[in-house]
Structures are given as structure tokens and as C-alpha cells.
């Protein structure tokens, strides 16, 4: 029997309890080389018309959570512009192919979101390539674990803030020229915003900033009919984790300390982004939807 995200299932056993082997990829990492492979909903996500005709820009759309969101958006009826780094072309082409299989447009826009000029250009190219823009998913992020504050260099601090929060400010600002009433912005934050790990000082700080920015901008844009929300994932198996996102020794235990007892798969995040982008969430603004396997969050 083919199951999809709407099939009645036990969440403990919906996906295998994985024990990833110790492995390393250089930043940003590829889904194509991840062991074990992730589930981005390729064979399971079923669209139900929630985003018919929408035009979405998704950053970090080549892999992991962003890729699962891109697949879901396309199957829900949206055309999708994918932002990613040039080194991720292989992953991006794979996801673009799945979007086209769903009968939707996939626009590939490689570039570095740490660059102001690119943050503006990616929005303009998405809007001109899709004939407008009414959904933005600010999902790109970098996470590099550093054990000791003495080893946390200025360059890393700046790079993490540039990609994780400054790009959200820049992309959102550029997008406002295009977003009409009814449009949405969804930001990827993290459980790290409230439960910071000792080795993720810069990363966790940006995630707290994203939550705060979301709540402030949500209030500012609500009267203009533009809704801003966030999704806070818990431990999700993606290339972020093996490209220095976690200490290598921690990989086999990844996600096992959640109440559900296993790491999440990227496709388990997609319905949260679909919900916050769809008009069905019209009264939901400045909210952070936690998708973390049961760890209590504020
Ligand atoms: P991922 O590596 O698959 O996705 C991150 C993406 O960010 C990359 O694919 C890359 O395209 C993009 N990116 C990084 N640096 C960039 C740059 N300089 N310019 C442009 N794009 C850049 O990993 P993921 O886990 O799917 O991460 C997606 C989001 O989810 C991130 O914001 C991450 O912080 C957040 N998140 C992940 C987890 C988790 O456990 N995986 C938990 C909480 C939050
Ligand atoms: Mg990637």
C-alpha cells in the first residue's frame, strides 16, 4: 500500500530510527552524498490544492527541509524559485526535476545570500521568472559547531549572522516590492532559539533573532495583508548536520533524545510550511510552529 502524509500512521514508526555513521562533508554538504539518505517526500507527499497558482521563492531549496518544502509547494500547485549555493547544483537539479514532474515551473537561482547584491537580485529574478511573487520561505542557514568560545572566530560569527538573519532582513525587504495582500513569509528558525547547545553559540543566537524578527515584522505587515510566521524544527536529518553542524561523535545518536525517540525527516516539516503559506492560516501571524518530535518549547 502506498502511504502519504495523510495516511493514519504511528509517528514513532512512520520513519526508521536511524543511527547515522560518522561522516563528514565540506560546507554546505549535499543530500546526494548523505548516509543514510533522507526522505524529502519524493514518494509520499500528496498535494491537495492548498497553494494553487502561488509563486514562491524558497532559499536553501536544494536539500533538506527546503527541498521537502519545494516538493510539497509544487504538488500543492505552486511555481517555485529555488535559491541555493553554486556548489549545490546537483541537489538543486534533482529537486527542480521533481517540481517539473508535478507540472510546475522550477527556476534555479544559485548564489551566495551572504552578499547584499545577491539577496536583492534573487528576489528580482524570482519575481520576473515566475511572473510575480506571493510567498517567500527564508530557509537557508549555516551551522558550524565550535566547542570553545576562544575558537569561535570573527569570520564565523559574521558569516553565520549574514546568512541566517541578515539575509532574511534583506530578502524580506526586497520582496516587499512584489508581495500583494494575501502573500506570506515563513522563516526557518530552530529549537536552538530557546534550548541552545553549548557548541552552537552563534547559530543559536541567530535563531532566537529570527523568532523575534518574525514576531515584530508579523505585526508590522499584518495591516498590509502580508503574514509572517516561522517554523522551528528539532533534530532533522539533513546535510547541515554532517558539514560540521554537529561534532562527528554526536551523529550516531542524532535525534534519539526526543520524546518520539528518533530524528525527524525533512518531509515531516513540509506541512507546517504549507499551512503557514496557505490562506487556511489567515488568522495566524507572528507564530512559531515547533516541529521537533515533542521537546517542550515556549
Ligand atoms: P541543508 O543543508 O539541507 O539546508 C541549508 C541550506 O542553506 C543549504 O542547502 C544551502 O543552500 C543554504 N545556504 C547555506 N549557506 C548559504 C549561503 N551563503 N547562501 C545561500 N544559501 C546558503 O540543511 P537543513 O537542515 O534543511 O536546513 C534548513 C534550515 O533549517 C536552516 O535554516 C537550519 O538552520 C534550519 N534548521 C535545521 C534543523 C535540523 O536539524 N536539520 C533544525 C533546526 C533548524
Ligand atoms: Mg544544500
Amino acid at each position: 500500500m502506498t502511504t502519504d502524509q495523510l495516511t493514519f500512521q504511528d509517528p514513532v514508526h512512520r520513519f526508521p530510527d536511524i543511527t547515522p555513521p560518522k561522516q563528514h562533508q565540506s560546507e554546505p554538504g549535499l543530500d546526494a552524498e548523505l548516509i543514510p539518505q533522507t526522505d524529502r517526500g519524493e514518494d509520499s507527499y500528496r498535494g491537495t490544492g492548498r497553494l494553487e497558482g502561488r509563486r514562491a521563492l524558497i532559499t536553501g531549496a536544494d536539500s533538506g527541509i527546503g527541498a521537502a518544502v519545494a516538493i510539497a509547494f509544487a504538488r500543492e500547485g505552486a511555481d517555485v524559485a529555488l535559491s541555493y549555493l553554486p556548489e549545490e547544483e546537483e541537489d538543486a537539479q534533482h529537486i527542480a526535476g521533481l517540481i517539473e514532474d508535478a507540472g510546475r515551473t522550477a527556476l534555479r537561482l544559485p548564489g551566495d545570500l551572504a552578499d547584499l547584491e545577491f539577496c536583492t537580485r534573487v528576489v528580482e529574478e524570482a519575481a520576473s521568472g515566475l511572473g510575480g511573487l506571493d510567498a517567500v520561505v527564508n530557509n537557508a542557514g549555516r551551522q558550524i559547531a565550535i566547542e570553545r568560545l576562544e575558537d569561535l572566530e570573527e569570520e564565523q560569527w559574521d558569516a553565520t549572522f549574514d546568512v541566517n538573519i541578515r539575509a532574511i532582513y534583506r530578502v524580506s525587504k526586497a520582496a516587499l516590492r512584489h508581495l500583494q495582500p494575501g502573500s506570506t513569509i515563513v522563516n526557518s528558525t530552530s529549537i536552538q532559539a530557546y534550548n541552545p547547545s553549548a557548541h552552537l553559540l552563534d547559530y543559536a543566537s541567530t535563531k532566537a533573532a529570527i523568532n523575534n524578527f518574525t514576531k515584530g515584522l508579523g505585526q508590522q505587515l499584518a495591516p498590509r495583508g502580508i503574514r509572517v510566521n516561522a517554523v522551528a524544527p528539532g533534530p532533522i536529518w539533513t546535510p547541515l548536520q554532517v558539514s560540521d553542524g554537529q561534532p562527528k561523535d554526536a551523529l550516531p545518536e542524532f535525534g534519539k533524545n526526543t520524546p518520539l525517540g528518533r530524528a525527524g525527516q525533512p518531509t515531516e516539516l513540509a506541512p507546517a510550511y504549507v499551512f503557514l503559506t496557505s490562506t487556511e492560516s489567515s488568522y495566524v501571524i507572528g507564530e512559531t510552529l515547533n516541529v521537533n518530535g515533542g521537546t517542550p518549547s515556549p
Side-chain angles (χ1 to χ4, degrees), residues 28 60 62-66 83-85 88 111-114 139-142 163 188-190 203 207 233-236 238-241 254:
D62 57 296
S63 60
I65 295 164
S83 150
Y84 54 95
L85 285 164
E88 299 175 305
D112 186 351
L113 287 168
N139 166 73
R142 74 189 295 272
V163 175
S188 290
T189 174
S190 171
Y203 175 85
K207 294 300 175 177
I236 312 303
T238 70
L240 194 77
Q241 308 302 344
F254 184 70

Side-chain angles (χ1 to χ4, degrees), residues 166-180:
R166 197 170 189 178
I168 292 182
Y169 145 71
R170 287 168 165 171
V171 167
S172 302
K173 190 172 171 180
L176 284 182
R177 285 190 49 220
H178 302 281
L179 300 180
Q180 301 299 315

Side-chain angles (χ1 to χ4, degrees), residues 14-28:
R14 182 179 173 202
F15 295 101
D17 172 14
I18 55 168
T19 303
K22 291 178 194 173
Q23 59 197 291
H24 183 258
Q25 294 188 38
S26 56
E27 197 192 350

Side-chain angles (χ1 to χ4, degrees), residues 5-69:
Q5 83 278 13
L6 303 176
T7 310
F8 182 72
Q9 295 171 73
D10 175 354
V12 175
H13 302 298
R14 182 179 173 202
F15 295 101
D17 172 14
I18 55 168
T19 303
K22 291 178 194 173
Q23 59 197 291
H24 183 258
Q25 294 188 38
S26 56
E27 197 192 350
L30 288 180
D31 257 333
E33 292 173 11
L34 196 59
I35 307 164
Q37 287 282 295
T38 72
D39 195 321
R40 284 151 279 162
E42 297 94 323
D43 300 320
S44 64
Y45 191 91
R46 175 159 65 94
T48 54
R50 284 174 149 76
L51 302 178
E52 211 58 62
R54 297 286 294 272
R55 297 154 301 182
L57 167 64
I58 304 174
T59 68
D62 57 296
S63 60
I65 295 164
V69 173

Side-chain angles (χ1 to χ4, degrees), residues 21-266:
K22 291 178 194 173
Q23 59 197 291
H24 183 258
Q25 294 188 38
S26 56
E27 197 192 350
L30 288 180
D31 257 333
E33 292 173 11
L34 196 59
I35 307 164
Q37 287 282 295
T38 72
D39 195 321
R40 284 151 279 162
E42 297 94 323
D43 300 320
S44 64
Y45 191 91
R46 175 159 65 94
T48 54
R50 284 174 149 76
L51 302 178
E52 211 58 62
R54 297 286 294 272
R55 297 154 301 182
L57 167 64
I58 304 174
T59 68
D62 57 296
S63 60
I65 295 164
V69 173
I71 292 169
F73 273 31
R75 292 185 188 173
E76 296 290 357
D79 291 329
V80 182
L82 305 103
S83 150
Y84 54 95
L85 285 164
E87 306 93 286
E88 299 175 305
E89 191 58 43
E90 179 183 356
D91 278 353
Q93 287 194 12
H94 174 63
I95 300 306
L98 289 165
I99 291 168
E100 284 161 1
D101 289 347
R104 309 307 313 189
T105 299
L107 194 63
R108 283 182 285 113
L109 301 173
D112 186 351
L113 287 168
D115 175 27
L116 166 61
E117 194 268 329
F118 179 72
C119 288
T120 313
R121 181 154 48 91
V122 74
V123 169
E124 293 309 315
E125 288 183 2
S128 64
L130 301 180
L133 192 64
D134 42 46
V136 175
V137 176
N138 286 308
N139 166 73
R142 74 189 295 272
Q143 173 184 328
I144 306 289
I146 304 281
E147 301 286 343
R148 288 160 44 90
L149 182 58
E150 294 90 324
D151 300 323
L152 178 52
E153 302 295 346
E154 293 276 339
E155 293 73 21
Q156 147 124 354
W157 182 273
D158 289 347
T160 305
F161 271 74
D162 280 353
V163 175
N164 292 14
I165 176 69
R166 197 170 189 178
I168 292 182
Y169 145 71
R170 287 168 165 171
V171 167
S172 302
K173 190 172 171 180
L176 284 182
R177 285 190 49 220
H178 302 281
L179 300 180
Q180 301 299 315
S183 301
T184 53
I185 298 174
V186 182
N187 301 321
S188 290
T189 174
S190 171
I191 188 163
Q192 290 287 328
Y194 350 94
N195 281 357
S197 296
H199 54 270
L200 294 176
L201 297 180
D202 52 336
Y203 175 85
S205 301
T206 65
K207 294 300 175 177
I210 293 168
N211 262 345
N212 196 288
F213 182 84
T214 300
K215 291 184 192 308
L217 188 63
Q219 294 176 74
Q220 186 182 124
L221 297 184
R224 291 158 67 172
I226 300 167
R227 293 184 301 110
V228 187
N229 287 288
V231 176
I236 312 303
W237 184 235
T238 70
L240 194 77
Q241 308 302 344
V242 304
S243 47
D244 295 316
Q246 299 289 338
K248 269 188 279 308
D249 291 343
L251 290 178
E253 292 304 307
F254 184 70
K256 292 190 194 296
N257 64 350
T258 59
L260 219 48
R262 63 169 176 82
Q265 291 293 331

